Amino acid sequence: MTNATANLPLPVFRLGGSGPNLLLLHGFGADRMSWIANQDALMQSFAVFSCDLPAHGGQPPGRNGMKISEMADELIDALARQNDRFVVVGHSLGGAIAIELAARRPDLVAGLGLIAPAGLGKEVGREFLSELPELSELGSALALLQRLVSRPRLITPPIAQRLLDHLERPGIRAALRALASELSHVETSIEPHVASIAASRVPRIVIWGEEDTINPIDRPRLSRFNAQVLTLPDTGHLPHVEASRAVSRHLCEFLKSAVLELGG
């Protein structure tokens, strides 16, 4: 992995590959390592980049708060300095940010791959959002994280412990509480951006697990979004983890062809 791009407010890492640029945005409480099962396949068709969002992974809490719009601001600054367009793939929280980014700066976005995106589902689970920042015990952390998937064995004790260690960093719990509050009404807050993308020519695919109980599918809302939609059986809130090969394949097939058609 190369070093972060210099002098950017939010470090963006180039993972490798060649072709159109593709940026991976993780979900609430996760980090850029959540894409590890997808990166190699995506690098066959794209130059792949990733980042840790504020208060996630190696990043401190956001300087100006923990709102989706402020995270979008930081990404706009980062991508604008690259002097090129990006396909943006976002999971859950990352999906909401990707939608706002594309609506506000369509000149920076060549296409969207949205995986169980916050704002397009029925509602992000309030209990999950409120409990995650307060976790302090391994058993409780493991039980909460296993609700993300249809096969609990995919979430192991080391994964839960990694989250607990992260929560002990200064300022992280408070930042995630603020972000959880933001996500609790995201369906309303990003609706103008959803409507803007629905009326646009931005190529977009939405992938959802049919067993997602954290951010359940809202089929009427999805139909109004005017996207290609793929739902996966026996899959929960983490399709890119639970069905990594299928997700990577569908992202590559749709986004590469759509971007090339637009000359992106």
Side-chain angles (χ1 to χ4, degrees):
M1 182 180 300
T2 61
N3 291 330
T5 305
N7 300 319
L8 294 182
L10 188 67
V12 173
F13 296 82
R14 178 165 181 161
L15 304 180
S18 60
N21 295 328
L22 184 147
L23 174 65
L24 297 167
L25 299 178
H26 61 76
F28 177 71
D31 59 32
R32 58 193 173 91
M33 297 304 293
S34 64
W35 298 104
I36 197 163
N38 313 99
Q39 351 183 122
D40 286 348
L42 294 174
M43 283 190 284
Q44 302 306 308
S45 299
F46 296 94
V48 178
F49 296 74
S50 69
C51 70
D52 287 328
L53 296 169
H56 294 78
Q59 288 300 298
R63 296 185 302 278
N64 300 312
M66 289 300 296
K67 294 186 178 297
I68 289 172
S69 60
E70 292 162 345
M71 292 184 173
D73 289 341
E74 293 211 27
L75 283 167
I76 286 169
D77 288 344
L79 299 189
R81 299 188 191 195
Q82 296 286 337
N83 197 32
D84 203 353
R85 301 173 77 204
F86 280 74
V87 171
V88 184
V89 174
H91 169 246
S92 197
L93 165 64
I97 296 170
I99 290 169
E100 177 161 342
L101 176 63
R104 289 172 53 189
R105 289 295 302 271
D107 58 306
L108 298 177
V109 178
L112 289 172
L114 305 172
I115 302 174
L120 284 181
K122 291 182 179 178
E123 179 183 80
V124 182
R126 305 288 178 90
E127 185 177 309
F128 179 84
L129 291 173
S130 63
E131 288 183 10
L132 187 144
E134 312 307 326
L135 292 171
S136 60
E137 191 271 332
L138 183 59
S140 299
L142 188 62
L144 184 70
L145 294 181
Q146 286 178 339
R147 290 170 49 194
L148 292 166
V149 295
S150 63
R151 289 168 289 161
R153 63 182 175 78
L154 292 173
I155 306 297
T156 61
I159 292 173
Q161 186 60 55
R162 188 163 182 253
L163 173 61
L164 291 176
D165 293 343
H166 178 68
L167 290 170
E168 293 305 318
R169 292 177 52 212
I172 296 299
R173 290 185 189 274
L176 293 183
R177 289 183 196 115
L179 185 54
S181 177
E182 172 90 350
L183 284 169
S184 70
H185 58 86
V186 65
E187 295 79 18
T188 301
S189 64
I190 72 161
E191 177 55 35
H193 302 305
V194 168
S196 175
I197 296 302
S200 77
R201 295 182 64 240
V202 176
R204 50 197 178 272
I205 182 171
V206 179
I207 300 175
W208 223 298
E210 293 180 1
E211 305 303 319
D212 190 339
T213 61
I214 300 298
N215 184 29
I217 300 171
D218 187 327
R219 295 184 189 277
R221 182 172 287 167
L222 272 183
S223 69
R224 297 191 295 272
F225 191 59
N226 299 322
Q228 177 168 317
V229 176
L230 175 70
T231 62
L232 300 175
D234 304 315
T235 304
H237 188 57
L238 304 178
H240 56 304
V241 174
E242 299 174 79
S244 60
R245 290 183 181 178
V247 168
S248 298
R249 182 177 72 253
H250 287 293
L251 286 173
C252 286
E253 289 175 354
F254 175 81
L255 291 169
K256 190 174 183 184
S257 62
V259 169
L260 288 175
E261 283 178 13
L262 289 180

